[in-house]
Amino acid sequence: MSAQPTTTEAMVQVRDVHKVFGRGQDAVHVLKGVSLDVPRGSVTVVLGPSGSGKSTLLRCVNELEEITAGSIHVGGDLMGYRLDDKGVLHRLHPKMIAKQRSRIGMVFQRFHLFPHKTALENVMEAPVQVRGLSRAEARRRGLELLDRVGLAERAEFYPAQLSGGQQQRVAIARALAMDPELMLFDEPTSALDPELVGEVLAVMQDLARSGMTMIVVTHEIGFAREVADHVVFMDDGVIVEEGAPADVLDNPSEPRLRDFLAHVL
Amino acid sequence: MEDRPSGQLPEPLHARPVPRPGRWVSAVVVLVLVAMAVNALVTNPNFRWDTVWLYLRDVVVVRGVGWTLVLTFGSMAIAIVLAVLLAVMRRSDNPVMRSVSWFWIWFFRGTPIYTQLVFWGLLSVLYPRLSLGIPFGPEFWTFTTQDVITAFWAALIGLAFNESAYLAEIVRAGLSSVDPGQTEAAKALGMKDAKILRRIVLPQAMRVIVPPTGNETISMLKTTSLVLAIPFTLELTYATNQIGSRIFQPIPLLIVAALWYLLITSVLMIGQHYLERYYGRGFDGGRTGRGRGRGPRGGRGKPSKQDLIGASGTTKDDPFLEVTP
């Protein structure tokens, strides 16, 4: 267990993280010692074949999965645990974990909008229920955010009345409503029809330009090339290669990455 | 919107329908049978329809209807609260909670309601005094059982506890029919478990929970007739049976009870219809993006809220998929 973050610049510090699902005979070692720094205001794109552990890594960052070993710091705070003066590790109370999560926005592959609430109600839900914002204030902010993702006139629509691309943009607005300091995207365009991918990527690109710290798991190499500051390639639970997009995507040194790019492009 | 026909509509095909003589034959046969049944009901003087009409409005009978309604709604209300509690306990991480919930459901589903009601009636024999205190330790409060658990309360508790076991399974099926992704999305927003259950999971589960609960209410209406086992003697079945024995005309009084039960059931069915509409209420808006949300419930081409929840694919359709014996 590494103790304190060494630099104040890194928004996210992942240190030697392991994740094992199940136990005994059925144990599956999904993350095998992953370390990663995400500087504040930067965009990191994580690539890799399915089953390489990239989604699990993302889910560990906001505590949807409990890590087995290692440590994750977000904004300088150790995620999910507290290290006391004597060096004893304590699991955090669920209330505190919920609080940590509320500072991190997450966008899912299958959107997971609340189907019984309108687009606007989806965006208002967490600010009102978690932050205790007044409904009027949350409504004003919600409409602002829906406008930002280009869906102001769809505010009163229910998720099932929206296209996949529109749903994902509402999901992004819903995550932004909590004023996160970090946004996680778990294959945000993989469940979309090809003609709808562009509108979601445009919103994400806009978000990156505004200085949001982002970790994006995706297969969109074009997005990685244009928007990412840092590209990470994972395979079989480890980071195989990482660096600037131009280096990683155009001059891959790893045969596994070369193979992967040949398939994706 | 985009699926509205544009331009000229084509002339539809004109074809002779397939001849179906079987339809006519079967309809005639069934109608004759119905006529025979009606004839048997109306012309048989033993039914004493005049007596039926007289006692349908009798004070004792109408009071019995009132008590039956109080028992039905009272026990269902208690049972619903208990059922949500039991269902949540069943999903808890705490093995004590899980086991207690399992045992409760096992016990109350596993013994006949009649036996349970007799037991509640005999509670004051089993425990003449009830006390609040520390087990095996001091007692703070003592009651005489007969003063606290009157026949009415015994009936209410007996019906409610039994029903809670069945409803708990319905609620559990409803809760597990909601996509776990919904919980994850709410968690990722920083919501706490209790709030996720109340604001996100339960409202979606209601769509699966409401129809079988309406069914259970109608069933409960008639189960209340068993409280004579306690004995609680004011409800409809006991009241009509008593009058029937007194005037030596049991059959007309049975019909009186049956007519009242049918009337209440009809009202309950209307109520259930509106309750289901509430959880699937229509609203302004276009059709769904993928066109899956169109259903008969919304009317006038507008998808209902329920259709939309269905269309989003976050709940499974079969409420009993997850009910285990």
Side-chain angles (χ1 to χ4, degrees):
Chain A
M1 179 64 57
S2 73
Q4 286 303 305
T6 43
T7 58
T8 47
E9 274 305 294
M11 182 73 223
V12 182
Q13 279 205 328
V14 178
R15 284 291 172 271
D16 198 26
V17 163
H18 289 254
K19 174 67 190 175
V20 181
F21 286 100
R23 50 181 62 191
Q25 291 278 306
D26 303 323
V28 185
H29 203 167
V30 176
L31 295 179
K32 302 171 178 170
V34 174
S35 297
L36 180 68
D37 274 4
V38 178
R40 199 177 283 274
S42 75
V43 176
T44 298
V45 167
V46 184
L47 301 172
S50 59
S52 60
K54 51 196 193 312
S55 284
T56 304
L57 175 64
L58 211 59
R59 294 163 58 80
C60 285
V61 170
N62 78 344
E63 280 287 316
L64 283 180
E65 303 287 355
E66 233 175 283
I67 59 175
T68 310
S71 70
I72 297 175
H73 286 85
V74 175
D77 292 342
L78 181 61
M79 293 299 291
Y81 299 90
R82 180 173 58 82
L83 204 57
D84 70 11
D85 301 337
K86 292 171 195 142
V88 180
L89 200 62
H90 301 265
R91 181 78 179 142
L92 280 184
H93 190 274
K95 220 192 288 184
M96 298 306 294
I97 293 178
K99 199 164 183 176
Q100 288 186 327
R101 282 196 193 111
S102 72
R103 295 160 33 210
I104 304 171
M106 180 142 186
V107 175
F108 298 87
Q109 181 178 359
R110 292 192 49 244
F111 332 133
H112 296 325
L113 288 180
F114 307 131
H116 58 303
K117 295 179 182 297
T118 62
L120 181 59
E121 285 167 353
N122 264 278
V123 179
M124 288 167 62
E125 180 69 10
V128 171
Q129 295 298 325
V130 180
R131 285 276 152 79
L133 225 63
S134 74
R135 290 192 66 81
E137 176 63 14
R139 194 183 160 78
R140 198 186 56 73
R141 273 278 289 153
L143 286 170
E144 221 173 80
L145 285 165
L146 285 176
D147 189 43
R148 185 170 169 188
V149 298
L151 288 171
E153 75 286 2
R154 292 280 190 272
E156 304 301 330
F157 281 52
Y158 284 81
Q161 295 170 302
L162 300 172
S163 73
Q166 291 171 334
Q167 288 188 53
Q168 194 61 297
R169 285 189 280 154
V170 173
I172 293 172
R174 176 176 72 174
L176 290 176
M178 291 297 282
D179 297 315
E181 26 181 20
L182 169 68
M183 284 285 286
L184 308 174
F185 293 84
D186 189 1
E187 303 203 26
T189 57
S190 300
L192 297 177
D193 292 337
E195 77 271 21
L196 302 177
V197 168
E199 60 189 71
V200 172
L201 291 181
V203 168
M204 290 168 62
Q205 190 157 9
D206 184 53
L207 195 57
R209 223 176 278 132
S210 76
M212 176 65 73
T213 313
M214 292 162 61
I215 306 180
V216 184
V217 170
T218 186
H219 293 301
E220 297 292 331
I221 304 295
F223 179 83
R225 199 187 301 274
E226 264 182 67
V227 181
D229 300 298
H230 192 73
V231 173
V232 172
F233 175 69
M234 284 182 72
D235 191 21
D236 197 25
V238 291
I239 292 177
V240 178
E241 189 166 345
E242 61 180 312
D247 299 337
V248 174
L249 297 174
D250 299 328
N251 300 304
S253 53
E254 255 302 310
R256 275 186 285 181
L257 175 54
R258 241 175 280 152
D259 201 40
F260 174 78
L261 289 174
H263 277 96
V264 174
L265 288 176
Chain B
M1 279 193 183
E2 66 273 12
D3 50 355
R4 202 150 292 162
S6 56
Q8 210 61 42
L9 283 173
E11 182 73 10
L13 293 174
H14 291 287
R16 297 271 171 88
V18 177
R20 295 188 189 278
R23 276 189 182 179
W24 291 98
V25 175
S26 58
V28 168
V29 170
V30 169
L31 281 177
V32 168
L33 289 173
V34 168
M36 286 160 75
V38 170
N39 177 54
L41 275 175
V42 174
T43 56
N44 187 341
N46 293 337
F47 278 115
R48 300 296 301 266
W49 289 103
D50 52 332
T51 314
V52 170
W53 178 239
L54 186 67
Y55 280 97
L56 204 56
R57 302 156 296 156
D58 187 88
V59 174
V60 178
V61 171
V62 172
R63 201 183 58 185
V65 170
W67 280 110
T68 293
L69 287 175
V70 168
L71 282 176
T72 304
F73 289 112
S75 58
M76 282 307 285
I78 298 172
I80 287 171
V81 173
L82 282 174
V84 173
L85 203 67
L86 286 166
V88 172
M89 282 165 72
R90 203 59 209 279
R91 291 155 56 94
S92 161
D93 290 332
N94 187 336
V96 176
M97 294 290 151
R98 271 206 313 274
S99 318
V100 167
S101 171
W102 182 90
F103 179 83
W104 179 286
I105 293 168
W106 172 77
F107 181 80
F108 283 104
R109 282 202 313 183
T111 53
I113 173 75
Y114 192 86
T115 313
Q116 288 172 31
L117 288 170
V118 171
F119 169 84
W120 287 109
L122 292 176
L123 194 69
S124 58
V125 178
L126 198 61
Y127 293 103
R129 283 179 337 111
L130 290 179
S131 61
L132 270 181
I134 298 162
F136 309 106
E139 296 173 353
F140 304 128
W141 242 303
T142 338
F143 317 92
T144 312
T145 306
Q146 258 172 330
D147 296 344
V148 183
I149 313 285
T150 58
F152 170 72
W153 283 103
L156 202 64
I157 291 171
L159 292 172
F161 281 16
N162 181 263
E163 184 59 33
S164 71
Y166 289 92
L167 283 180
E169 289 296 275
I170 291 172
V171 174
R172 189 164 71 97
L175 292 181
S176 41
S177 77
V178 178
D179 180 2
Q182 292 288 311
T183 305
E184 283 201 338
K187 266 189 187 174
L189 287 167
M191 292 173 78
K192 288 171 214 151
D193 287 349
K195 208 154 238 179
I196 295 173
L197 180 73
R198 196 162 51 80
R199 305 262 327 160
I200 306 300
V201 178
L202 259 181
Q204 294 181 57
M206 284 308 273
R207 154 177 187 275
V208 168
I209 292 171
V210 165
T213 301
N215 208 26
E216 290 290 314
T217 309
I218 288 169
S219 169
M220 175 59 86
L221 173 69
K222 287 150 301 159
T223 308
T224 55
S225 62
L226 291 179
V227 296
L228 81 117
I230 287 193
F232 180 80
T233 55
L234 293 171
E235 56 74 46
L236 182 58
T237 296
Y238 195 90
T240 50
N241 281 354
Q242 216 175 18
I243 298 170
S245 319
R246 199 180 65 222
I247 63 173
F248 303 110
Q249 288 185 8
I251 290 171
L253 267 299
L254 282 177
I255 292 174
V256 167
L259 287 177
W260 271 110
Y261 282 122
L262 280 171
L263 180 72
I264 301 168
T265 302
S266 312
V267 173
L268 285 177
M269 282 167 74
I270 296 169
Q272 185 181 3
H273 171 78
Y274 281 103
L275 202 62
E276 280 177 33
R277 259 243 309 244
Y278 171 79
Y279 282 103
R281 63 181 178 273
F283 49 85
D284 294 331
R287 296 202 160 164
T288 64
R290 307 232 163 221
R292 283 168 62 203
R294 271 169 252 159
R297 286 168 195 274
R300 278 173 289 147
K302 288 175 186 172
S304 71
K305 191 173 191 173
Q306 181 151 347
D307 290 330
L308 292 169
I309 292 176
S312 75
T314 58
T315 53
K316 295 169 208 151
D317 268 324
D318 183 359
F320 295 107
L321 210 62
E322 313 262 337
V323 180
T324 51

